Amino acid sequence: MNKKSTLKFLLICWGFTTVFSSCTDIDLSGISKDIAINESLIIPAGGDSITVNELLKKAGSNDISIDSNNDINFISEKDIDFSFKNIDLLKYASKNKITVGLEPAYSGPVLAGTTVSIQKKDSISLGINSASKPDERIEKAEISSATIGVTLDLTSDIKSSIKYSDVKITISFPNNTVTDFQENTYPDIVITPNPYGTVKNVLLNNFIMHTPGGATGIPVTITVTAKTSSGATVSNASAFNCTLSFNQMSFKTVWGHFSPDSNSKDSLRINLNLPTTLTAFNLKFVDPVAKITVKSSVGAKLLFNVDYVKAFDKNNVEIAKAHFTSPASDSHTFKIPKPKGVTLTGDTIITLDKDNGGTDQLFTSGKIPDALEYKFSSGVETDLNSLDFILPDSKIHAHVSVKIPMLLKAGSSISLQDTIKNVGGNLKSSMKDVNVDSAIVILDVTNHFPLPATLTLVNLVDSLGKPILTDFINTYSIAAPTDLTSDGAVVTPKVTQLQIKLKKGQYDQIKSMKDLYFNVTLGNSDSTTGMHILSTDYMKVKMGVYGKGTISTTLGTSK
């Protein structure tokens, strides 16, 4: 026998938005005991709870650090090297022609087999210590290798009477202007020249070149010893012309006082790699921190300048700039200590945060930056009582590490969306024998975020895309937890129950849906409370329909 029974029923759909989950555990403890419930009427919507941690993992960002306290930090790092000064000891060097004449002066015949030895003091030009740059001085240089080019030529009246192979040239460095690495006198250089007019390169290794008091070159004493192979007639104009020049020079260390090259500045761009799902949010971070670890192998007290810190959006448009307060400026200068030895570095750590650099201002424009750009330059704090030094590979190395804690200022907001699939289909298949007379939608919202939220049902359309529930109240306020730690993290979540009485026909419209879309907004531009978001935070929505209607069922067959 078929009968129609009028029963109260409970339909429970478990659904969660982006940070919502559907449950597999059904809590029926709050339901009136006089209602007979068939468990087949309970329709699960599937899935488990999704925490902030899982949300971030799904967002695809690898630059996220979560510590033992479940604090979330976005991490980005990058390195930059730039030269302080390029030292070229031969950049302005020139050849120096040294004329070594007969001494004492003599005019007259010279017999074959005559040996003469004459000497001349002069210098080899380096072109260093220019008077146009009085703040730059090279006092000495430790040279690993150098080449002196020596070219000999004779005046025509004696050239045919002296073979180049019968000439010996001695080059010495007076007054210890050139010494070995132990500051001992460098040995004399004795050579036989190449054929007249051609260069002979002489290699020098491991010496110290002294250029005190702004000297522009190296003093030398040239001694020429020659033997005539045939008779000749000489005059006061007879001479040996020696041309000397440094053709190559490699240094180990240069001492003196230096200023940075005009191009010793560079910019460093760090992509923040924030999850793309965050870019549409209004996140005003409380205290982004940039730690700049600087290592300098430049042997001087340096001034390391942070010329600016700018934020750019994904279209490379500048949206914000950091600002220093003491003194008030967009730039700031930090000091780097002088290395205590040529094999050591001068190290310092610079921390830019909301107090020292106004880094929070980079996130106040309402847009999430795609990248931060740092521009650095350098200067020197000259100490005239101590010589500075530069090595061939001297450089300033900066490692920049950006850490953005998930601590947000008041006025920040996060909007999250997701979908419960096949809502109408589930209702139709599970409630095909039920005629609903009246119903109440029950929403139990568990808020584990440290701020109030707004729950909105959006894009309410049927399976064909036609708008439905046009007069449905779709926006609801969700209370914030009150049990918080001293720094604003949630201890106990807050459960808000919403009861929405459906008007006639609205239940059928819900059944005509394909999917149900949710939007949850955490915070808003007018809020006065900041956020401390942890990786374990979540928001869970449990949706049920409590209603009254008729169920067609077979109760038995009467005989």
Side-chain angles (χ1 to χ4, degrees), residues 44 46 103 113 123 151 156 172 178 184 247 256 269 321 366 387 528 542:
E103 292 184 3
S123 66
T151 303
S156 57
S172 58
V178 173
N184 299 314
N247 299 329
R269 179 167 289 209
K321 182 186 292 186
L387 293 180
T528 57
K542 182 169 62 176

Side-chain angles (χ1 to χ4, degrees), residues 254-468:
V254 176
W255 286 269
H257 300 292
F258 313 97
S259 59
D261 287 336
S262 58
N263 62 350
S264 65
K265 55 181 64 180
D266 209 343
S267 60
L268 172 68
R269 179 167 289 209
I270 296 182
N271 293 322
L272 294 179
N273 297 322
L274 292 173
T276 55
T277 53
L278 299 183
T279 57
F281 304 159
N282 182 18
L283 301 182
K284 300 177 181 180
F285 291 103
V286 170
D287 193 15
V289 177
K291 185 168 75 171
I292 306 172
T293 302
V294 183
K295 293 181 177 292
S296 169
S297 56
V298 179
K301 296 179 181 179
L302 294 185
L303 302 175
F304 186 78
N305 307 313
V306 179
D307 295 322
Y308 64 68
V309 183
K310 296 179 179 179
F312 291 84
D313 66 13
K314 62 182 180 180
N315 297 317
N316 200 33
V317 175
E318 180 185 333
I319 56 177
K321 182 186 292 186
H323 188 74
F324 297 90
T325 57
S326 182
S329 174
D330 292 336
S331 63
H332 197 77
T333 298
F334 301 88
K335 294 185 178 182
I336 304 176
K338 180 178 179 178
K340 295 182 178 179
V342 295
T343 60
L344 304 175
T345 58
D347 302 343
T348 192
I349 296 178
I350 300 168
T351 300
L352 304 181
D353 55 23
K354 64 182 177 61
D355 299 317
N356 184 36
T359 55
D360 57 325
Q361 300 172 49
L362 299 171
F363 296 85
T364 58
S365 68
K367 297 182 179 180
I368 298 297
D370 183 67
L372 299 181
E373 185 175 276
Y374 297 78
K375 187 175 183 181
F376 303 123
S377 61
S378 60
V380 65
E381 189 175 22
T382 302
D383 182 1
L384 297 178
N385 296 318
S386 175
L387 293 180
D388 297 331
F389 64 84
I390 289 183
L391 311 176
D393 58 351
S394 283
K395 63 182 179 182
I396 302 170
H397 173 82
H399 174 78
V400 182
S401 174
V402 177
K403 177 180 178 181
I404 307 176
M406 196 65 167
L407 293 170
L408 305 176
K409 291 182 176 181
S412 298
S413 62
I414 300 176
S415 183
L416 306 169
Q417 295 183 2
D418 208 348
T419 307
I420 297 178
K421 298 292 186 179
N422 200 29
V423 171
N426 289 338
L427 289 174
K428 290 176 184 178
S429 62
S430 298
M431 303 299 291
K432 60 183 179 180
D433 295 323
V434 177
N435 296 315
V436 177
D437 296 328
S438 62
I440 298 175
V441 172
I442 299 174
L443 296 176
D444 283 334
V445 183
T446 303
N447 185 3
H448 200 284
F449 284 92
L451 68 163
T454 300
L455 173 65
T456 306
L457 306 179
V458 297
N459 194 25
L460 298 174
V461 296
D462 63 16
S463 59
L464 300 177
K466 180 181 178 181
I468 59 175

